[in-house]
Amino acid sequence: MKSNVAVATTIQERKRKMSQQIQEKYEESHLYKIRHSAAHVMAQAVLEMFPEAKYTIGPPVENGFYYDFDLPRNLTPEDLEKIEKRMRQIVQGKHEFKKTVLSAEEAKKIFADQPYKIELIEGLEQGGFDEYGNPLKEKPEISIYQHDSFTDLCRGPHVESTKEIKPDAFKLMNVAGAYWRGDENNKMLQRIYGTAWENAQQLKDYLHQLEEAKKRDHRKLGKELEIFIFDDEVGPGLPLWLPNGGIIIEELEKLAKEMEEKAGYQRVRTPVVSKEDLFLHSGHLPYYAESMYPPMELEGVKYYVKPMNCPMHHKIFGSKLRSYRDLPIRLAEYGTCYRYEKSGELFGLMRVRSMQMNDAHMYVTEEQFEQEFLAVIDLYLKYFDLFGIEKYVMRFSKHSKAGLGKKYVDNERLWNKTEEMVRRAMINGDVPFVEVEDEAAFYGPKIDVQIWSVIGREFSLATNQVDFAQPARFDLKYTNKDGQEEMPLCIHRAPLSTHERMVGFLLEHYAGNFPVWLSPEQVRVIPITDGQNEYAEKITAQLRENGIRCHADLSAQRMNAKIRSAQLMKVPYMLVVGDNEMKAGQVSLRARDGSQQNNIPLGDFIARARDRIARRAAEL
RNA sequence: GCCGACGUAGCUCAAUCGGCAGAGCACCCGCCUUGUAAGCGGGCGGUUACGAGUUCGAUUCUCGUCGUCGGCUCCA
C-alpha cells in the first residue's frame, strides 16, 4: 500500500493523457466553440420555424453538435434542409455572442415559458445538477448567451460572432429520438445532429471519412466476404455463420485453447438450458430476467436458456470438496448463451441475441486475487498485441449507491472492498484505466475494454469481472491451511469477447484483410489456361497437405477475372500458374497487396505460408 | 422497448404524375486458350417484405404486421 501513492500519480497522469486531456483540450478548442455556437444558431432557426417549440440542451459532441427539442410535430428531412438554409443566412449576419451572468430569479423570468430551461435553472440553483442531470460539486454561476434574436441558458464558451461559423463548413446530419435527460421514463424529444468544422475542406474530409468508414462496416464486409447472414425466419440477432465465418471462429478457438492451456485453465462443457432453480439460486432472475428469453415449461418444470455460463461453472466448482492447494481453479468454456436484447438494441454482429463467449471463471483466495486478476489483464494485452489493437480504453466499472438492491446485489461493504482490490491490482500492475460509476455487473465490479466500431459506436469488447455475490449464493468454499472453510472469490473473464462481437470487430479492424492465419481462404491457385488445371489441382492438394486452406479457380474465365475475384474476396495469396511455372514446378505469387514474386519454387512458397500461419504473423 | 427513415431478382440499384416491373453483377449453357483487378454471345431469375384498404387500375396513396438502418435507452 505504501508505494501506491507514487504509482497512483503516474496512473493519473497516464489516465489524463488517455482521455481527460483530450477532453479538456477539446473543450478549450476553437472547434468546440464553433460547434457549440452552431447549435445555438440551429436552435434559433428551429424556434423561428416553430415559435411554440420548447428547447432543452444542445452541446458539442465528437465531430459536431446536437440540440434536443420538444416540437408540435415530427421533423421531416425537408425541414432539415430549411433549417440548414436558414442557419446559413443567420451566420452571415455576423451576430455577436454576448454573455450575461444573472440570478436564478432573473433567468426564470426570461425562460418563463420554457419548462425544460426552468428545470435546468432549478438544478443549477440548488447547486445540484448540470444539464445532463449529473451531480455538481459546486454551485455554478448562471449565465445566458445571446446572439441575434436568440437567447439560451448556457455556460459557454462561444465564438465571438457567428461569422466564425462558416456557411459551407457545417451540415445537419439527421433527426433522432432522445429521452429528456437520457431517461427512458421521460418524454422523447427530437434531436437534430449536425457536424461543423473550421472550413469547407475539413467538412469535406469528414464526410469522405464517413463514406470510407461505411466501406469497412462489418455488416457490409460480412456479406461481401460471406462470413455470416441473418435470416428473417431464424430471427433478429441470431446470426448464421457461413463456412468462411466458421473458419475464423475455429481459428479463434484454437488460439484461445492454446493460450488458456498454457495459463493453466481446464476446459468444461455445460448445457444451454437449465431449470429455473439454477437462475433463482444464482440471482440472475431477480436482476437479469429482462434480458433473458422467457422460460419454457415442461411437465410442470420451468426451463431457461442460459444468458451466462457462470452458474453452471459454479456448480462444477461446488461439485466436490476443494482444498486451498487446488486454487486457483480456472474453468473455461466457449459457452453459447442467449440474451433477449431489446429489438432496437441489435446491431449487426456487435449486438446479438445468441453468442458464444470466450468465457472462464477462476476461483481464487483473496491473496491470489491480485496476481490472478493481473494475469488476465496480461492475457488481454497479449491478444491485443497479436491483433494490433491499439485504440481501446480500460474502464473500471463500479456500482452506484442508488442502485444497491436494484441493479446491484445489496452488500455495500463487499462492493467497496472488491472495488478497492481491483483498483489496487490495476495500479500495482501499472495498467492505465478510467473509473466509471454505475456500470458494474450486478454481482461485482469489472474492467471492461472499450473499443469503437468503425461508425463510431462504443462497445465493451473484453471483460474482466469480480464476483463476490455468486460464490456466497452457491455456498462455494474451500478448506484452508487451518482446516477451516473459506469462500473463494470468483473472476469472470472474456478477453476474446464473444465470437460475434470479436469477428465483427476484427472485420472492421482489418477492413476484411485478415492476416493469413485468420483468412478463410489463404491461397487461391489461378491457372492461366485450362492447360494448367491439372497442375493447379496438384498444387492445391499439396498445400492442403501442408495445412494451408486453398482453392483452385478452374472456371472458364480469363486470368484477369480470376485475379479480380480473388482480390475482391481478399485472399492473401494468389498463385498464378502458366506453362512456364508448370514445366519448372514453380508458382508465381501475387499477394493481396498487389506485390508480385514470379517463378518461385513451390516449396519456398509453402515454407513462407507455413511460417506466417504458425507465427500468426500480421505480414503477408 | 421508444422516435424517425427505409424495404423492388441471390447482390448492387432503376422504374416520370397511380397505367404491361428494368439494368449490371452473380448463376446456367456455349464460344474464346488467355500472363497479374471484369473476353464475347445466349439463357434462367419477381406474389415489388407480409396483410388489409382506397381506386377502373397500386412498386407508387392509407393503415397494420415483420425486418433493416440512424439515434435514445441498454450491453459481451
Side-chain angles (χ1 to χ4, degrees):
Chain A
M1 267 310 272
K2 54 186 184 299
S3 65
N4 279 357
V5 183
V7 183
T9 317
T10 326
I11 291 295
Q12 295 235 316
E13 277 161 20
R14 290 174 68 175
K15 254 167 70 183
R16 204 174 301 136
K17 217 172 203 172
M18 282 173 67
S19 66
Q20 282 177 0
Q21 203 174 53
I22 298 164
Q23 188 69 19
E24 279 166 21
K25 230 172 133 188
Y26 178 43
E27 284 185 16
E28 284 160 18
S29 69
H30 189 229
L31 201 48
Y32 184 90
K33 291 182 196 169
I34 287 175
R35 288 167 180 168
H36 200 172
S37 305
H40 278 219
V41 172
M42 180 169 78
Q44 178 187 351
V46 171
L47 282 165
E48 284 174 3
M49 199 168 184
F50 302 96
E52 67 275 53
K54 307 295 175 223
Y55 55 127
T56 67
I57 63 166
V61 288
E62 196 183 3
N63 299 323
F65 59 91
Y66 68 79
Y67 212 114
D68 287 348
F69 302 96
D70 188 353
L71 299 175
R73 67 165 172 84
N74 287 327
L75 291 166
T76 64
E78 295 74 49
D79 292 331
L80 274 201
E81 277 172 38
K82 277 185 211 154
I83 293 164
E84 197 177 293
K85 206 173 151 194
R86 176 62 189 135
M87 285 174 71
R88 297 220 158 80
Q89 289 174 346
I90 295 170
V91 298
Q92 279 161 346
K94 299 180 183 172
H95 308 288
E96 276 181 30
F97 280 88
K98 212 178 95 202
K99 179 180 181 179
T100 311
V101 177
L102 32 64
S103 69
E105 285 315 305
E106 291 168 311
K108 278 188 193 169
K109 230 176 264 173
I110 293 172
F111 297 103
D113 59 345
Q114 289 292 338
Y116 297 97
K117 295 292 178 189
I118 297 289
E119 200 180 320
L120 292 172
I121 294 164
E122 280 166 359
L124 295 170
E125 193 182 6
Q126 289 154 12
F129 300 95
D130 69 5
E131 65 267 42
Y132 305 104
N134 295 323
L136 287 170
K137 284 191 197 99
E138 292 164 24
K139 207 165 173 171
E141 71 174 20
I142 294 173
S143 62
I144 55 168
Y145 271 83
Q146 291 171 289
H147 77 271
D148 198 14
S149 63
F150 181 77
T151 302
D152 201 355
L153 178 75
C154 181
R155 64 162 172 246
H158 283 280
V159 291
E160 295 283 311
S161 115
T162 59
K163 77 175 175 201
E164 291 175 52
I165 306 166
K166 304 296 173 205
D168 55 358
F170 70 83
K171 183 174 158 59
L172 298 189
M173 304 300 280
N174 51 19
V175 191
Y179 301 107
W180 168 236
R181 293 205 144 146
D183 185 336
E184 62 182 323
N185 300 311
N186 286 344
K187 181 160 187 185
M188 180 155 273
L189 307 166
Q190 291 189 73
R191 173 172 298 180
I192 305 176
Y193 278 97
T195 186
W197 300 85
E198 295 194 4
N199 54 55
Q201 186 58 42
Q202 280 183 9
L203 172 65
K204 205 181 139 196
D205 291 346
Y206 172 65
L207 295 176
H208 178 71
Q209 190 190 319
L210 284 184
E211 287 305 310
E212 288 302 305
K214 272 187 203 160
K215 288 183 194 162
R216 58 194 292 172
D217 188 315
H218 77 278
R219 294 167 294 186
K220 183 174 159 68
L221 286 171
K223 194 183 273 183
E224 288 169 359
L225 303 181
E226 298 181 12
I227 307 289
F228 67 94
I229 53 163
F230 286 99
D231 183 275
D232 285 357
E233 282 188 37
V234 177
L238 303 169
L240 305 181
W241 291 100
L242 304 176
N244 288 343
I247 288 168
I248 295 170
I249 283 177
E250 295 286 342
E251 287 295 343
L252 288 174
E253 288 201 16
K254 214 186 286 174
L255 171 69
K257 284 174 187 171
E258 265 175 42
M259 300 287 273
E260 286 164 7
E261 197 161 317
K262 279 186 209 158
Y265 290 64
Q266 299 167 284
R267 303 204 81 77
V268 296
R269 297 202 171 231
T270 61
V272 170
V273 294
S274 77
K275 291 201 301 186
E276 176 185 38
D277 307 30
L278 182 69
F279 296 112
L280 282 170
H281 200 165
S282 68
H284 279 84
L285 281 171
Y287 293 102
Y288 206 76
E290 247 186 44
S291 299
M292 292 169 70
Y293 272 86
M296 42 199 145
E297 198 168 332
L298 294 154
E299 297 180 354
V301 181
K302 279 187 189 159
Y303 292 86
Y304 279 91
V305 173
K306 68 177 172 186
M308 293 178 185
N309 305 299
C310 28
M312 311 251 186
H313 290 186
H314 298 333
K315 284 292 186 188
I316 291 174
F317 179 89
S319 66
K320 66 178 215 181
L321 284 175
R322 307 285 180 177
S323 152
Y324 72 95
R325 295 171 200 275
D326 301 328
L327 267 47
I329 284 176
R330 309 179 185 89
L331 303 178
E333 177 180 17
Y334 250 110
T336 303
C337 298
Y338 292 81
R339 297 182 187 173
Y340 195 82
E341 307 290 355
K342 292 181 198 164
S343 56
E345 295 168 347
L346 300 172
F347 179 74
L349 281 183
M350 304 292 251
R351 190 76 184 275
V352 291
R353 287 179 175 158
S354 77
M355 68 206 82
Q356 301 162 72
M357 299 175 67
N358 172 224
D359 213 356
H361 296 92
M362 20 259 283
Y363 302 88
V364 301
T365 67
E366 223 169 274
E367 298 74 55
Q368 291 169 333
F369 173 80
E370 185 171 316
Q371 194 189 341
E372 200 63 24
F373 197 79
L374 286 173
V376 172
I377 298 286
D378 194 52
L379 187 61
Y380 285 26
L381 297 176
K382 273 188 192 143
Y383 284 138
F384 292 177
D385 195 42
L386 173 66
F387 292 114
I389 299 173
E390 282 164 1
K391 195 190 169 198
Y392 63 88
V393 170
M394 293 222 177
R395 185 179 72 181
F396 174 23
S397 301
K398 303 184 289 184
H399 78 294
S400 73
K401 220 170 171 166
L404 287 173
K406 285 170 261 171
K407 279 170 80 174
Y408 308 116
V409 292
D410 197 2
N411 189 332
E412 195 170 12
R413 191 185 62 81
L414 279 177
W415 276 106
N416 292 336
K417 184 176 167 189
T418 49
E419 283 174 7
E420 187 47 39
M421 287 171 81
V422 172
R423 188 181 295 111
R424 207 186 313 149
M426 296 297 277
I427 289 171
N428 288 348
D430 203 18
V431 183
F433 63 98
V434 294
E435 295 196 15
V436 186
E437 301 276 339
D438 201 20
E439 293 282 346
F442 75 82
Y443 44 67
K446 58 180 179 171
I447 297 290
D448 283 328
V449 180
Q450 300 300 110
I451 50 104
W452 291 266
S453 83
V454 78
I455 64 164
R457 209 181 280 194
E458 185 180 354
F459 289 94
S460 295
L461 189 69
T463 186
N464 191 9
Q465 315 181 342
V466 186
D467 186 347
F468 56 80
Q470 289 189 74
R473 295 188 70 99
F474 282 100
D475 195 24
L476 300 185
K477 53 200 174 208
Y478 64 93
T479 310
N480 70 13
K481 278 183 190 146
D482 306 322
Q484 285 162 336
E485 288 183 346
E486 274 193 59
M487 189 186 84
L489 278 171
C490 176
I491 298 172
H492 304 232
R493 43 111 280 179
L496 287 179
S497 193
T498 60
H499 280 320
E500 290 70 19
R501 192 167 285 182
M502 195 69 197
V503 173
F505 173 76
L506 289 178
L507 263 167
E508 299 189 350
H509 177 65
Y510 291 121
N513 296 304
F514 287 106
V516 183
W517 69 279
L518 272 178
S519 289
E521 184 180 358
Q522 294 164 324
V523 178
R524 188 169 300 179
V525 184
I526 298 176
I528 292 176
T529 73
D530 52 17
Q532 296 89 41
N533 279 2
E534 215 171 293
Y535 181 57
E537 285 188 291
K538 212 179 98 193
I539 291 174
T540 303
Q542 212 168 326
L543 288 166
R544 286 184 181 164
E545 203 63 37
N546 280 277
I548 298 167
R549 293 186 289 269
C550 175
H551 293 98
D553 185 346
L554 306 183
S555 66
Q557 294 182 95
R558 291 285 187 282
M559 175 201 64
N560 279 329
K562 292 180 186 177
I563 287 175
R564 182 179 141 85
S565 65
Q567 200 73 56
L568 288 174
M569 290 304 279
K570 303 184 191 283
V571 179
Y573 299 126
M574 284 154 263
L575 296 182
V576 177
V577 293
D579 258 337
N580 297 337
E581 286 84 353
M582 187 166 74
K583 279 175 194 145
Q586 295 177 331
V587 294
S588 284
L589 169 65
R590 179 197 161 101
R592 183 172 57 198
D593 62 7
S595 65
Q596 269 184 61
Q597 253 179 291
N598 291 341
N599 302 95
I600 55 176
L602 179 60
D604 287 7
F605 170 73
I606 290 175
R608 170 172 170 170
R610 285 182 59 140
D611 166 69
R612 302 299 188 265
I613 294 166
R615 288 192 295 115
R616 297 193 170 99
E619 76 266 23
L620 287 174

